Amino acid sequence: RLEKDFREALHHHHFTLAYQPIMDVKTGKVAKLEALARWKHPERGYISPEIFIALAEENSMIVELGNQILEMACKQWCKWRKLGLEFKLALNLSAQQLAHPDLSERIKTTLEHYDIPPHFLELELTETTAMLNVEASVMQLKSLRNLGLEIAIDDFGTGYSSLHYLKHLPIDRLKIDQSFIRDLTENEQDGTIVSTIISMAQHLKLEVIAEGVETQEQKNVLRKKQCTHVQGYLYSPP
Ligand code: C2E
Ligand code: CA
Ligand code: CA
């Protein structure tokens, strides 16, 4: 039933995007915005993206949804630019999108169509997504980066992490998963893990974003640990 409704929603372009700011710790300014997909079901109300993204992945509708999301985000970017606002945008990418041979061509054409310089777009993918087919991922990510896009590893620390491949993946930043941030102020082990990720990232010349920052205390701890970017309800919900 949900799948049928999903197809219908896809057909009628009923998905929307919510944007959540990613903040620069030092300047306190918005560094970029992450686009998060939203679906308001006519009877059931908002359905969690965890549910409909998984459904879309199972039924190979994620590529079509991803294409619509790319279009929506680009249109929104143009609206903001007309108002004098130039934000970098981060989009989430799923495995099937990454594996799709047309991905970088489609992104290139879309950015050209909307006259958006590629460095305004960043793609987030999980370690697990990147590791499904490492060679293919490396090639795809290289071609995206050659276009001028930036790449972030999402939910870092929760997936199939291979430090060996981290060295080979052409990426720009890591997003520390919110599960490490949640108890950061009480749990010493989480503190150690977060410090270790930040220090490793610094050595690899990667930027770090901490996700799920909800309190001032968490932010203060992260700042002390030299985390440069934060995202979470403390600043704004999506
Ligand atoms: P994600 O990419 O890790 O996105 C972060 C999630 O954390 C979002 O949930 C966001 O609303 C939530 N969040 C942000 N700040 C806080 C905070 O301070 N505390 C807590 N507890 N949560 C916070 P959301 O929007 O429900 O999205 C869930 C997941 O669905 C995303 O996780 C992402 O994996 C997937 N998703 C969402 N939009 C898209 C999309 O356009 N494409 C793809 N492929 N996946 C998407
Ligand atoms: Ca994300
Ligand atoms: Ca995440």
Side-chain angles (χ1 to χ4, degrees):
R1 175 74 193 280
L2 196 64
E3 183 181 330
K4 184 183 145 282
D5 294 345
F6 182 93
R7 284 183 196 278
E8 189 100 352
L10 201 57
H11 184 70
H12 292 105
H13 293 248
H14 281 169
F15 294 90
T16 55
L17 287 175
Y19 296 86
Q20 186 178 35
I22 295 171
M23 311 296 293
D24 183 319
V25 176
K26 232 186 245 162
T27 64
K29 287 189 176 154
V30 175
K32 66 194 112 185
L33 299 170
E34 177 177 1
L36 293 155
R38 294 291 178 260
W39 177 26
K40 193 173 179 192
H41 189 278
E43 288 129 41
R44 296 163 65 170
Y46 280 104
I47 310 249
S48 162
E50 313 253 10
I51 294 173
F52 70 78
I53 295 288
L55 183 79
E57 278 170 343
E58 269 170 41
N59 299 291
S60 305
M61 297 180 288
I62 190 73
V63 174
E64 171 56 22
L65 178 61
N67 291 343
Q68 289 190 17
I69 286 170
L70 175 66
E71 284 283 329
M72 271 191 276
C74 289
K75 273 189 197 152
Q76 184 62 55
W77 192 89
C78 293
K79 281 189 197 162
W80 278 324
R81 182 165 57 179
K82 279 204 189 109
L83 297 170
L85 303 165
E86 278 198 339
F87 289 120
K88 280 193 170 194
L89 292 182
L91 300 186
N92 291 285
L93 205 65
S94 79
Q96 284 170 46
Q97 290 175 278
L98 184 72
H100 205 283
D102 292 344
L103 178 71
S104 60
E105 190 54 37
R106 174 173 288 268
I107 291 180
K108 182 171 177 270
T109 319
T110 311
L111 291 176
E112 279 169 4
H113 177 79
Y114 289 101
D115 195 19
I116 303 175
H119 70 268
F120 279 101
L121 191 61
E122 174 167 320
L123 299 175
E124 299 187 0
L125 62 154
T126 65
E127 297 155 275
T128 314
T129 293
M131 299 304 290
L132 281 177
N133 182 345
V134 179
E135 270 175 47
S137 298
V138 169
M139 278 192 9
Q140 185 76 279
L141 294 178
K142 273 189 181 155
S143 100
L144 290 164
R145 268 178 122 213
N146 284 341
L147 289 181
L149 271 68
E150 299 199 331
I151 311 291
I153 296 291
D154 207 351
D155 305 343
F156 186 75
T158 61
Y160 169 45
S161 335
S162 161
L163 298 179
H164 173 68
Y165 283 114
L166 197 58
K167 197 172 69 175
H168 295 294
L169 288 174
I171 55 173
D172 302 281
R173 54 189 59 81
L174 303 176
K175 296 189 80 174
I176 306 179
D177 189 67
Q178 43 190 53
S179 60
F180 300 113
I181 309 301
R182 201 168 299 133
D183 303 321
L184 184 63
T185 48
E186 299 101 55
N187 186 320
E188 210 176 303
Q189 281 172 326
D190 283 336
T192 306
I193 292 173
V194 168
S195 301
T196 307
I197 295 176
I198 293 171
S199 134
M200 179 187 69
Q202 283 171 344
H203 287 291
L204 293 171
K205 307 257 183 309
L206 300 173
E207 205 176 80
V208 176
I209 301 172
E211 291 189 284
V213 179
E214 296 183 355
T215 67
Q216 199 68 43
E217 292 75 36
Q218 289 168 338
K219 187 203 120 185
N220 292 340
V221 172
L222 287 160
R223 192 218 289 265
K224 273 202 202 110
K225 293 185 189 296
Q226 296 184 322
C227 180
T228 54
H229 292 80
V230 286
Q231 176 180 12
Y233 296 162
L234 176 64
Y235 300 93
S236 172

